[in-house]
Amino acid sequence: MIQLLNPDGNFFLMAGPCAIESEEIALQIAEKITGITSRLNIPYIFKGSYRKANRSKGSSFTGIGDEKALKILAKVKSEFGVPTVTDIHESHEAAMAAEYVDVLQIPAFLCRQTDLLIAAAKTGKVVNVKKGQFLSAGSMIHAVDKIKESGNDQVILTDRGNTFGYQDLIVDYRGIPEMRAFGVPVVMDCTHSLQQPNQASGVTGGKPELIETIAKAAIAVGADGLFIETHPDPKCAKSDGANMLHLDLLEDLLVKLVRIRDAVR
């Protein structure tokens, strides 16, 4: 597996824009975050979706073109020397995306899709599976087993909250130690867990003012990593801007989280 924990035992970070919007924005974000994480000794994986498949409205932004976006992810890796992660949605996408990135991410709504998990596993890449909003932490052992039984033991699990009513999510922090007991790294998705989905407008809402709260609690209970979507101008982001962290706020947050990690260790 790619190096996720540094010798000091710090948490790792998966962060970047929700979707690859342009080369300029992707490189801007990557440059900023690699500088911060280098100073703070935080292992970093650049995140960006080459295509968004799960959208509320048919007119919602889905991407700039698969190959174009994947090549931008590859450029981020080559220019900044960091691993990259992107989502896949169907089995046939696994081999294509694996040519460009280091980690294949399975979206939460698709975490039970056996063929998708197996296809991702067979690429030999690290597979990050997001826990379904509709599943208990304990049930994620089956996703882990599907990947490992396919000959790949490079698995990460990511919690992104649980459905609460029709238009909200809550985080059950008991799930972090429960999933860590499976012997895999566990990540807290600090931005998607604050979404307010299924709005009548067709545009997902969010509570980004609580990102720090979610992140602090996750580190306190032992999360191995954090997932944070960030953008230099969330209001103008083409996807999930309502729950993203402003890029200018990231360093201050990470400084606080490193202190918490040191305290709980």
Side-chain angles (χ1 to χ4, degrees):
M1 185 179 288
I2 57 177
Q3 185 64 42
L4 295 177
L5 299 177
N6 63 26
D8 296 329
N10 211 354
F11 60 89
F12 64 93
L13 177 68
M14 306 172 78
C18 177
I20 297 297
E21 302 175 9
S22 70
E23 181 177 308
E24 179 184 5
I25 292 176
L27 295 179
Q28 177 187 351
I29 294 171
E31 182 177 20
K32 178 87 169 182
I33 302 178
T34 52
I36 295 169
T37 53
S38 178
R39 288 192 295 274
L40 297 177
N41 200 24
I42 298 172
Y44 173 49
I45 303 170
F46 177 86
K47 184 271 169 183
S49 297
Y50 76 90
R51 174 158 46 88
K52 304 299 294 184
N54 177 27
R55 304 287 85 191
S56 297
K57 298 190 296 185
S59 60
S60 296
F61 174 80
T62 58
I64 60 174
D66 293 356
E67 186 176 10
K68 183 177 181 180
L70 287 166
K71 285 183 175 179
I72 291 171
L73 285 163
K75 186 168 184 177
V76 167
K77 177 179 179 177
S78 65
E79 287 208 7
F80 298 100
V82 295
T84 56
V85 55
T86 198
D87 312 79
I88 59 171
H89 311 90
E90 298 183 61
S91 302
H92 69 266
E93 297 176 28
M96 174 185 68
E99 294 183 14
Y100 297 90
V101 301
D102 304 277
V103 183
L104 299 177
Q105 182 166 282
I106 309 299
F109 282 124
L110 303 178
C111 68
R112 285 169 49 96
Q113 298 297 103
T114 301
D115 289 348
L116 180 61
L117 291 168
I118 291 173
K122 288 186 175 179
T123 66
K125 299 290 184 174
V126 178
V127 183
N128 178 35
V129 188
K130 286 197 167 183
K131 184 186 78 64
Q133 304 92 319
F134 45 87
L135 290 177
S136 68
S139 64
M140 289 302 291
I141 186 61
H142 304 300
V144 173
D145 287 345
K146 289 175 184 178
I147 295 167
K148 289 188 174 182
E149 289 167 2
S150 300
N152 188 340
D153 61 359
Q154 301 181 102
V155 189
I156 301 171
L157 294 180
T158 295
D159 195 335
R160 49 99 75 234
N162 303 304
T163 300
F164 185 70
Y166 290 114
Q167 297 175 322
D168 208 356
L169 297 165
I170 58 171
V171 177
D172 181 354
Y173 286 96
R174 297 175 298 179
I176 291 177
E178 186 171 359
M179 290 190 291
R180 290 187 81 235
F182 303 155
V184 300
V186 174
V187 172
M188 183 71 233
D189 183 338
C190 304
T191 44
H192 287 101
S193 59
L194 291 168
Q195 283 184 330
Q196 294 179 307
N198 307 317
Q199 300 295 314
S201 65
V203 179
T204 297
K207 296 181 179 180
E209 67 274 10
L210 292 176
I211 291 171
E212 183 171 321
T213 300
I214 296 292
K216 285 178 174 178
I219 294 300
V221 299
D224 299 291
L226 297 176
F227 180 105
I228 298 175
E229 288 189 340
T230 183
H231 194 280
D233 188 3
K235 296 188 302 299
C236 295
K238 294 184 177 181
S239 179
D240 282 3
N243 54 271
M244 278 203 275
L245 181 71
H246 196 292
L247 187 59
D248 289 343
L249 301 177
L250 181 63
E251 183 166 11
D252 181 65
L253 173 60
L254 292 176
V255 167
K256 294 175 183 176
L257 297 174
V258 169
R259 291 173 181 165
I260 294 172
R261 180 72 163 195
D262 288 342
V264 297
R265 283 172 46 226

